[in-house]
Amino acid sequence: MQPFKRLLVKLSGELLGGENIVFSAPYLDALCNAVSALKQSDRELAFVVGGGNIWRGRDAERLKIDSTDADYVGMLATAVNGLMLKSVFESRGIGTELVSSFNIDGIACRKHPSEVRELIKQQVVVFVGGTGMPHLTTDTLAAIRAVEIGADTLVKLTKVDGVYDKDPEKYKDAKKFDRISFDEALQKRLEIMDLAAFELLRDHHISVAVIKGTDPKALTRFVDNPQEGTLVLPTVEV
Ligand code: UDP
C-alpha cells in the first residue's frame, strides 16, 4: 500500500492567521497548493482545524468569563475556520465536505464515520467543532477522527519543526528526534499531544508526524521525505 495514503492533518488555527489578521491570504493559497498536490498524488485527506487564530478557551480569565462558556466560543471558532477552509478549497476546485461534532443548520452537520470513510475517497473532509465538549482540545478530536476514518498517519502541523528532547526555544543544545516510538516518547514524557489522544493513536497503530506547518509545502515534502519533522511510530528499528 502507498505510504501516507490516508492522512488526518491537525491544523492549528494560529497557522491560518497573520499579524493582526484572522486569515492570511498567502497562507491559505499555499495550503490550497499543497492540498491539490496531495490529491493529485492520490492521497486521501482530512483536516481537523483548531480555532487559535480567533479565540482560545484559556483566555477566559482575560475577559473575566466562565471557562466552560469560553470553550464553547472556541469550538465555534473552529467551525468558522473550517467554513473558510471549505470556501477557499472549493474556490480552487477542491471538493470539500465540512463535518461538525454538532449540527450547524445549513452549514455543517454530524455524519456517521462510515459515510465519512466513503466521502474521503473523493473529497477533502474538514472536521470542526472540537469534540463538542468543553475542557478538551482539538488534538483529542484529531486522534478520535483519525481512528474513525482509519487514517494511517496523523500529521500535526505546528510552529516548531518537530519533537525535541527539551524546549528548543530555551535550550540551544536541544536535540530533535527524526523517529521515535510511542513508548519512548511516553517514557521521556515528551509533550506531543494530550496523553489520552496519544495513547489512543498508539493503540490503533496510527503514526504521528509533527512537522512545521508555517509553510504548507512542508506537507507535500513530508509525504515524499518523512525525514521532515519527527515521526512517531509504533516501533522504531534501530
Ligand atoms: N475546544 C473545546 N473542546 C474541544 C476542542 C476545542 O472546548 O474538544 C475549545 C477550547 O477552548 C480551545 C478552542 O476550542 O482553546 C480552540 O481549539 P484549540 O485551542 O485546540 O485550537 P488550536 O490551538 O489548535 O488553534
Side-chain angles (χ1 to χ4, degrees), residues 9-10 15 154-163 208-223 225-231:
V9 181
K10 158 71 208 301
L15 292 171
L154 184 154
V155 181
K156 190 171 150 133
L157 291 182
T158 66
K159 285 197 150 175
V160 280
D161 65 348
V163 179
V208 179
V210 180
I211 57 181
K212 189 170 179 173
T214 47
D215 174 6
K217 266 202 206 110
L219 247 183
T220 44
R221 283 198 304 265
F222 163 76
V223 292
N225 168 24
Q227 295 302 9
E228 179 110 15
T230 296
L231 196 53

Side-chain angles (χ1 to χ4, degrees), residues 104-124:
I104 308 173
D105 198 20
I107 295 193
C109 57
R110 295 167 58 110
K111 286 199 189 305
H112 190 273
S114 65
E115 195 183 337
V116 179
R117 286 194 290 268
E118 278 309 305
L119 277 171
I120 199 174
K121 291 178 185 162
Q122 307 299 332
Q123 292 188 293
V124 172

Side-chain angles (χ1 to χ4, degrees), residues 77-92:
T78 71
V80 171
N81 281 341
L83 187 57
M84 180 55 81
L85 285 183
K86 177 179 163 75
S87 305
V88 292
F89 288 167
E90 290 193 334
S91 73
R92 273 80 162 175

Side-chain angles (χ1 to χ4, degrees), residues 23-38:
F23 294 113
S24 150
Y27 189 84
L28 289 172
D29 255 341
L31 186 64
C32 286
N33 292 340
V35 170
S36 288
L38 289 169

Side-chain angles (χ1 to χ4, degrees), residues 10-14 50-53 55-58 70-72 74-75 78 129-139:
K10 158 71 208 301
L11 178 64
S12 181
E14 64 182 344
N53 53 324
W55 173 257
R56 280 204 183 100
R58 74 175 90 114
D71 278 344
Y72 276 89
M75 287 189 272
T78 71
T131 58
M133 308 285 276
H135 310 294
L136 294 173
T137 67
T138 43
D139 276 5

